[in-house]
Amino acid sequence: MTNPLEHDVFWKIHRDLPREAPGSDAATMQALAMLPDLPTNARILDVGCGPGAQTLALAKATQGHITAVDTYQPFLDELACRAFIAGVGEQITPVQASMFELPFDEPFDLIWSEGAIYIIGFAEGLAAWRRHLKPGGSIVVSDLSWLQPDPPAEAHQFWQEAYPGIATIEANVSRLEAAGYRSLGHFVLPEEAWWTNYYRPMGARIALLRTQYHDNPEAQRILDLEQAEIELYRRYASSYGYVFYLMQAA
Ligand SMILES: C[S@@+](CC[C@H](N)C(=O)[O-])C[C@H]1O[C@@H](n2cnc3c(N)ncnc32)[C@H](O)[C@@H]1O
């Protein structure tokens, strides 16, 4: 069985979507408003930026400069294009690099990462990125979290396989404190932000690709997997969600 990421149908599902994870401009703004004021011309790092919906929102809401990092060049190209159209191109520098080895010497006032820290791991990412933060600098991450301590078995099994590092909000707050941060608060992303910008457009794309790949069983298997994630959320949205965690270097 092919790793889904190595099959072109996976990248056709995840091409030209508004976002590559649940989120919304409103949630990005809510998190930004909960932070201490940023200095003028703040240096901001957006890790795992994808096509950059949150990068654009940050550029419009601040006077900062945002270095947007992702490993997948087509997302960075899309971000550059969107930034140019939105008139914020000069505030954003897309950089192809890995969150495991961030190639920056000068520290940042703010590190932002929506729906991407799971790749390196919540505690691991916070520990590794701390050296890229100025003293007193802040970090905002959104990460898939259990909203109840004892989730339904089906949801538990799915996410234990897909994201073994998933934890409750309380556990993640303890993890960020253990990594040397002071919590500035957290909030759960509203359910609508899963559907509007992510699962609804993704579901429409899956339906289209099902006909295009009707004679390709491997592609159909990958489409099934992606559809299963959507259906799981439809059933268990009260059990897990994306949570924004805000913190400051202690
Ligand atoms: C779930 S998407 C979230 C994208 C974006 N933040 C959003 O919310 O739309 C995760 C992103 O991380 C990127 N990524 C995967 N591995 C990475 C790595 N090692 N370093 C940096 N980015 C990575 C993917 O290409 C993808 O754009």
Side-chain angles (χ1 to χ4, degrees):
M1 273 193 297
T2 329
N3 174 350
L5 274 75
E6 287 166 12
H7 199 293
D8 70 330
V9 79
F10 179 86
W11 297 105
K12 283 189 180 172
I13 298 169
H14 290 278
R15 183 185 296 161
D16 303 328
L17 296 180
R19 287 181 171 260
E20 278 299 324
S24 69
D25 285 0
T28 302
M29 291 303 99
Q30 184 178 342
L32 189 65
M34 289 166 70
L35 295 176
D37 286 344
L38 286 171
T40 323
N41 303 324
R43 279 173 52 77
I44 303 171
L45 178 66
D46 183 2
V47 184
C49 60
Q54 73 291 320
T55 327
L56 262 60
L58 290 170
K60 289 177 193 164
T62 71
Q63 293 179 328
H65 186 277
I66 305 160
T67 303
V69 168
D70 205 284
T71 42
Y72 189 56
Q73 187 61 44
F75 284 158
L76 295 169
D77 294 342
E78 194 176 335
L79 162 60
C81 187
R82 288 185 188 188
F84 177 76
I85 291 166
V88 291
E90 296 204 342
Q91 277 176 270
I92 298 172
T93 304
V95 175
Q96 189 179 30
S98 172
M99 65 176 76
F100 289 87
E101 264 180 289
L102 292 168
F104 308 110
D105 294 328
E106 215 184 311
F108 294 86
D109 297 288
L110 173 61
I111 298 178
W112 202 277
S113 184
E114 289 193 27
I117 196 169
Y118 74 93
I119 292 161
I120 184 169
F122 187 88
E124 294 81 355
L126 295 182
W129 300 345
R130 203 172 188 289
R131 72 180 189 87
H132 297 284
L133 206 56
K134 289 183 187 172
S138 304
I139 297 193
V140 173
V141 297
S142 71
D143 197 30
L144 192 76
S145 310
W146 293 123
L147 303 181
Q148 59 182 94
D150 196 11
E154 191 186 7
H156 187 263
Q157 187 182 343
F158 182 95
W159 285 115
Q160 278 307 318
E161 282 173 25
Y163 180 29
I166 183 172
T168 60
I169 296 174
E170 294 69 26
N172 279 336
V173 172
S174 299
R175 283 161 152 187
L176 71 87
E177 287 169 350
Y181 298 93
R182 184 171 69 86
S183 173
L184 297 174
H186 60 262
F187 63 92
V188 179
L189 183 74
E191 280 179 38
E192 189 49 35
W194 285 67
W195 294 109
T196 306
N197 297 312
Y198 193 49
Y199 276 165
R200 236 175 253 132
M202 197 172 136
R205 184 68 53 79
I206 289 170
L208 187 72
L209 290 166
R210 278 209 189 278
T211 45
Q212 284 180 18
Y213 284 84
H214 65 93
D215 56 354
N216 184 330
E218 192 54 23
Q220 293 291 335
R221 186 187 70 83
I222 292 164
L223 293 166
D224 287 346
L225 281 174
E226 298 280 298
Q227 185 73 43
E229 185 190 311
I230 298 176
E231 297 312 321
L232 191 83
Y233 187 68
R234 210 185 296 284
R235 289 198 292 283
Y236 299 116
S238 59
S239 303
Y240 61 89
Y242 264 90
V243 177
F244 275 78
Y245 298 92
L246 295 81
M247 68 206 84
Q248 193 168 30

